[in-house]
Amino acid sequence: MERIRKSTRQEMKVVGMLLSYLLMCLPLLANDGHGLWLDYNELNRAKVNVPASSPTISIAADELHRYFNGQEITLQKVPALKSTLGNEGFTISLDQSVPVIQAVSDIGLLYGTYELLRQQSLNANQPSTITQTPAFPLRLLNHWDNLDGSIERGYAGKSIFWNDQMAIDRQLIQQYARANASIGINGSVLNNVNASPKMLTRDYLLLVKEIADILRPYGIRAFLSINFATPMALGDTKTADPLDKSVARWWQRKAKEIYQLIPDFGGFLVKANSEGQPGPGDFGRSHADGANMLADALKPYKGIVMWRCFVYGANHKGEDRVKQAVSEFKPLDGKFRPNVILQTKNGPLDFQPREPYSPVFDQVRKTPDMAELQITQEYLGQSRHLVYLAPMWREFFLQVPPRNLAGIAGVANIGLDKNWCGHHFSQANWYAFGRLAWNPDLSSNEIAREWLKLTFFPSTANQQQTSTFINTMAEVMMSSREACVDYMMPLGLHHIFRFDHHYGPEPDGFKAEYPLEWCPVYYHKADKNGVGFDRSRRGTDAVSQYNEPLASIYDNIATCPENLLLWFHHVPWTHKMKSGRTLWEELNIRYNHGVKEVERYVTTWQKMKECLVAADGDEQRWREVDERLQHQLENAREWRDVCLKYFGSFAE
C-alpha cells in the first residue's frame, strides 16, 4: 500500500510538472490579439540617457530599456528645433555610436521612441536620420460610448470607459493610451455624440478627470461630446437658447469647473439639430449662435468647439439629404468664432461603402474644417467582415487635400472584447487611421504590410513564412474594400441596408413610420425604367454643390465615374457601360465578383494556416479569423442573391 501511495505521489508530481510546462507554453499556442501591434520582443538591456524626468519621459525611457535592440540610447530636448519640428515632431540619428532621439517636447520624444521601435520591429533598412512631423494638429478618436457602457455602432463589446459601477479600469485605459501614442493619436472624445446631459454632472466629470490623468502622459487630451440642452435638461435654466444670458453664464461656470479638474481639457464635440438632437435651431437661432456661445465659454482656457455638419431633419423637408449640410452651413461661413471647427463626414450621406466627398469641403472655406472618418464598420460588415479601410481614406485625401483640414477624427471601433475590435483584422483600421492622421501620404499597401508584420510576426526568425504571409494577406487587405462595395452596393448604389442595424440587405425597405429619406427605396429609386438617384442638374442638382470642373463631370452621364454612376444618375437598365455590357449585366458581374473575392479570401486564409501556426503557434487567431471569413462569405452571398433578385424584378 505504501508503494502505491509513493507511486501515486510521483505520478502526481510528474503531472504537476507537465501542467506547469503546458501553462508556460500557452502564450506560444494562443494569441488573443490584446497586444495589438505592440508585441515587441522584450530585451531589458538598453541604457537610456534622458533629460529631466517627467511621466512622459519615464514612459519613453521604459519602452526603450525594455525593447530597444542596443546597448545605449539618448533622449534630448532641443528647443531650438521648434521651427523645424514643431511641438510634436522628432529626429532620430542612428549614425552615431550612441543613437539619439531629439525633439522639442516630451511627447515628441515619446513619438520618436515608438517610431524607432516600429522601424526596429519591421527590420527596415533605416536611413541614418529619420525626421517626422505630424500633418494634422488634431488627430482624434471619437468614441460613441454611452454612460451605461453600451456603444452606438460598437461591435466589439462594451465601453472601456463607462459602466454601471462608475469604475475606471486604469490598466486597460493605460494600454489604450499606449496604443494610441504609438500611432500618434493625440485626443479622445470619450462619449457618444448623442450625448447624455448627465455627462457634465460632477460625478461623471470626476471620472473624466481620472481618465484624463491616465491619458495625459501619452500626449492624449480628453474631449467630451455634449448635449446642447444640458443646462435646461438638468433643471438649472429654463431654456437652452444660446442668446439667453443665463444659459451663457451656465456654460461659463461649467467650463471653469471642467478646467479646474482637467487643465488640458480639449473642448466640446457637438451634434445639434440632427436626428432629433437638441440645438440652437429649437430656439430660432443658428448653428453659429450655438457654437459661438460655447466657444466663448471655452476661449479663456484655449478650448475648442467641434461642431458637426452631419445634419438632416425637419428643416429640410423635400430636400435631397446629401445637400443639407451645405444648405445649412454655407450661409454661415465666416460667422463662427476662431476656436470653432466644423467637423464634416468624409461623404455627404453617412459613411457608405463608397460615396463622393462631402461638398462642404468645397463650399465652406472661411471656417476651419476637420474630416470625420468612420473606423468602426457600421456600413461595411461591422466586426464580422474583413474590410481594410485605408484605401477608402486615401481615396478621400486625393479629393480633399489634407492641407485644407484643421484636423481629422475617426469614429472608434474599440470595445471590451479581448482583441479590442471584435475582428482581428479590424485592428488594422485603428492602426491605419493613426498612421494616416500622422502622414496622409503613406500608401495603403505600406500601412497594411507594417500592420501585418508588427501584429503577426513581431519577432519571428522565419523570414520565408513571414514574407509569404505578409505578401499574400496585404493583397487580400488591399482588395477587400472594393470587394465589399461589389457584393453590397456597386456602381454608386447606396444606403440599401436594414433599417435597424445597418447590416444586411433590404433593397425593398420602406416603413411608413420612418421619414422617407431613411428608407432604402428612397436612395435606389428602382423602377422599370432604370435605377439610381438623379442628382444631376435635371434632378436635385446636388452636382452643383461641387466645384468645377467636377460639377460638370458628375452631371454628365458619359463622364461621371462609373463607380459613382448610380449616386448621381437614374440610369436605364439597358445603358451601355464602358465594358460594353448593359447596366444590368454589369451589376450582375459586380455582385458576383464581390462574392468570388470573399471565396478567394476564405481559401487564401486556409493556406495561411501553415505560415501562421507553424511560425508562432498562433492557432487561436487563425481560427477566429477563419470563423469570421466563413461568416462574411455567407453574408456576401446573401447580399448578392437578395439584391439581384430584387433589382431583377425591374430589369428583366
Side-chain angles (χ1 to χ4, degrees):
M1 183 65 70
E2 184 61 31
R3 284 197 299 271
I4 293 173
R5 291 196 186 99
K6 185 176 182 181
S7 175
T8 301
R9 286 195 296 271
Q10 289 175 336
E11 289 171 356
M12 290 177 66
K13 184 177 181 180
V14 171
V15 170
M17 292 173 63
L18 286 171
L19 285 172
S20 298
Y21 176 76
L22 288 172
L23 287 172
M24 290 173 60
C25 291
L26 275 177
L28 301 176
L29 299 174
N31 189 324
D32 58 18
H34 193 69
L36 297 164
W37 50 87
L38 292 164
D39 276 339
Y40 302 130
N41 187 26
E42 192 155 354
L43 302 169
N44 287 313
R45 66 182 184 191
K47 176 186 176 184
V48 186
N49 306 310
V50 300
S53 185
S54 72
T56 301
I57 294 294
S58 295
I59 293 168
D62 182 62
E63 296 277 9
L64 291 167
H65 171 70
R66 295 172 65 187
Y67 304 119
F68 179 59
N69 188 16
Q71 297 300 318
E72 188 174 357
I73 187 167
T74 296
L75 301 177
Q76 290 181 348
K77 288 177 68 173
V78 186
L81 291 174
K82 186 167 185 177
S83 61
T84 304
L85 300 178
N87 288 324
E88 296 179 297
F90 59 83
T91 291
I92 304 172
S93 300
L94 300 172
D95 58 350
Q96 307 174 49
S97 58
V98 177
V100 178
I101 303 175
Q102 294 182 322
V104 173
S105 65
D106 293 359
I107 190 58
L109 293 174
L110 184 60
Y111 289 151
T113 293
Y114 285 123
E115 178 60 26
L116 178 60
L117 295 177
R118 175 170 31 248
Q119 295 295 329
Q120 176 180 286
S121 294
L122 292 171
N123 297 319
N125 293 322
Q126 301 170 6
S128 58
T129 301
I130 301 170
T131 300
Q132 294 185 10
T133 57
F136 302 109
L138 292 170
R139 307 177 299 280
L140 274 59
L141 289 185
N142 288 179
H143 289 268
W144 287 0
D145 295 23
N146 299 311
L147 299 185
D148 64 359
S150 63
I151 303 176
E152 185 172 343
R153 310 310 178 194
Y155 312 107
K158 290 197 170 185
S159 172
I160 67 171
F161 303 118
W162 312 113
N163 52 64
D164 290 336
Q165 293 75 41
M166 296 184 70
I168 299 298
D169 186 334
R170 298 186 64 84
Q171 182 180 13
L172 184 67
I173 295 174
Q174 186 176 33
Q175 292 168 342
Y176 160 86
R178 178 177 181 245
N180 280 333
S182 76
I183 49 177
I185 290 170
N186 66 358
S188 290
V189 182
L190 302 177
N191 64 307
N192 193 356
V193 290
N194 296 318
S196 167
K198 292 192 298 183
M199 185 72 256
L200 295 185
T201 59
R202 185 72 176 181
D203 287 346
Y204 281 103
L205 290 178
L206 290 172
L207 291 178
V208 174
K209 171 182 165 45
E210 284 190 56
I211 296 169
D213 289 344
I214 299 169
L215 300 181
R216 186 173 299 110
Y218 292 89
I220 301 168
R221 289 192 298 166
F223 294 76
L224 291 176
S225 296
I226 62 160
N227 183 299
F228 188 80
T230 293
M232 184 172 68
L234 295 179
D236 295 337
T237 62
K238 295 180 179 179
T239 180
D241 183 345
L243 300 189
D244 186 288
K245 292 182 179 179
S246 68
V247 174
R249 286 194 296 269
W250 187 95
W251 284 106
Q252 291 164 8
R253 291 193 300 270
K254 185 57 64 174
K256 182 178 181 180
E257 178 186 2
I258 292 171
Y259 280 95
Q260 285 175 340
L261 291 171
I262 311 161
D264 62 343
F265 179 71
F268 297 143
L269 174 64
V270 188
K271 175 180 178 179
N273 291 125
S274 181
E275 297 184 314
Q277 289 297 304
D282 299 341
F283 307 94
R285 312 303 185 186
S286 72
H287 290 288
D289 292 330
N292 290 341
M293 181 268 295
L294 294 171
D296 289 343
L298 296 176
K299 181 181 177 181
Y301 315 100
K302 299 182 179 180
I304 63 172
V305 174
M306 297 171 289
W307 194 273
R308 294 178 85 234
C309 290
F310 178 68
V311 290
Y312 69 90
N315 293 339
H316 300 277
K317 289 182 179 179
E319 185 180 34
D320 182 356
R321 182 172 153 187
V322 306
K323 297 179 64 177
Q324 293 174 14
V326 169
S327 294
E328 287 204 29
F329 285 93
K330 184 176 181 179
L332 299 173
D333 195 16
K335 297 182 180 180
F336 292 91
R337 298 283 193 267
N339 59 327
V340 174
I341 300 174
L342 300 181
Q343 183 167 307
T344 304
K345 290 186 179 185
N346 59 288
L349 187 54
D350 191 12
F351 296 133
Q352 298 299 288
R354 170 168 280 119
E355 49 184 311
Y357 70 91
S358 171
V360 169
F361 297 109
D362 281 350
Q363 300 300 322
V364 180
R365 301 305 299 272
K366 297 177 184 177
T367 307
D369 209 333
M370 63 189 297
E372 179 179 310
L373 310 177
Q374 191 178 66
I375 307 170
T376 194
Q377 298 165 223
E378 177 181 354
Y379 295 98
L380 289 127
Q382 299 171 13
S383 65
R384 307 181 200 181
H385 292 202
L386 190 166
V387 182
Y388 177 51
L389 300 182
M392 179 169 69
W393 300 332
R394 288 282 295 134
E395 186 177 289
F396 168 74
F397 286 132
L398 290 174
Q399 299 170 317
V400 179
R403 66 179 179 273
N404 293 346
L405 300 173
I408 185 168
V411 181
N413 62 344
I414 297 158
L416 278 179
D417 280 7
K418 197 66 178 176
N419 67 16
W420 298 91
C421 300
H423 195 310
H424 289 283
F425 274 79
S426 294
Q427 295 177 1
N429 293 326
W430 179 8
Y431 180 84
F433 172 81
R435 296 290 282 139
L436 286 172
W438 184 271
N439 181 5
D441 292 328
L442 290 172
S443 75
S444 304
N445 184 59
E446 179 182 356
I447 295 170
R449 296 175 71 85
E450 279 184 10
W451 177 79
L452 287 165
K453 175 67 170 69
L454 295 170
T455 302
F456 290 97
F457 296 96
S459 59
T460 182
N462 191 318
Q463 294 302 313
Q464 182 60 48
Q465 288 172 326
T466 301
S467 179
T468 298
F469 183 87
I470 291 174
N471 290 338
T472 303
M473 293 311 300
E475 187 283 324
V476 167
M477 291 172 68
M478 288 297 296
S479 63
S480 62
R481 184 270 183 129
E482 207 63 47
C484 180
V485 171
D486 278 352
Y487 67 69
M488 285 186 177
M489 289 172 290
L491 303 178
L493 284 170
H494 51 287
H495 222 308
I496 56 176
F497 297 88
R498 284 282 305 274
F499 280 57
D500 45 356
H501 49 57
H502 295 171
Y503 185 71
E506 195 174 44
D508 61 344
F510 172 78
K511 294 185 179 179
E513 64 268 29
Y514 284 88
L516 180 60
E517 63 268 21
W518 290 14
C519 300
V521 295
Y522 170 77
Y523 293 99
H524 62 67
K525 300 190 183 299
D527 57 28
K528 65 180 181 179
N529 298 315
V531 63
F533 199 119
D534 186 0
R535 295 190 169 100
S536 72
R537 291 179 175 127
R538 297 163 301 284
T540 69
D541 197 26
V543 296
S544 293
Q545 290 188 339
Y546 292 91
N547 289 339
E548 291 290 359
L550 199 56
S552 294
I553 291 172
Y554 285 156
D555 183 58
N556 188 338
I557 195 171
T559 59
C560 182
E562 287 191 342
N563 60 11
L564 292 172
L565 186 64
L566 303 182
W567 182 282
F568 287 110
H569 296 275
H570 191 266
V571 182
W573 298 108
T574 56
H575 172 79
K576 282 293 182 69
M577 306 293 287
K578 293 175 183 177
S579 64
R581 295 184 284 264
T582 66
L583 171 64
W584 174 236
E585 291 168 340
E586 190 70 26
L587 277 173
N588 276 269
I589 291 289
R590 296 299 182 96
Y591 272 109
N592 280 291
H593 174 262
V595 172
K596 288 176 182 176
E597 283 287 84
V598 182
E599 290 172 345
R600 182 171 67 87
Y601 300 161
V602 170
T603 301
T604 299
W605 189 248
Q606 294 289 329
K607 294 176 181 177
M608 290 300 98
K609 183 175 184 179
E610 181 179 354
C611 290
L612 194 59
V613 178
D616 275 11
D618 204 346
E619 173 78 32
Q620 179 176 339
R621 278 195 294 191
W622 181 88
R623 184 184 68 254
E624 290 173 353
V625 171
D626 184 61
E627 290 170 354
R628 284 285 199 260
L629 284 171
Q630 298 287 351
H631 187 80
Q632 183 175 355
L633 180 55
E634 292 177 11
N635 291 163
R637 288 169 173 164
E638 179 188 8
W639 269 96
R640 176 196 61 190
D641 296 345
V642 169
C643 291
L644 289 181
K645 181 180 179 181
Y646 175 79
F647 291 125
S649 67
F650 299 101
E652 293 177 339

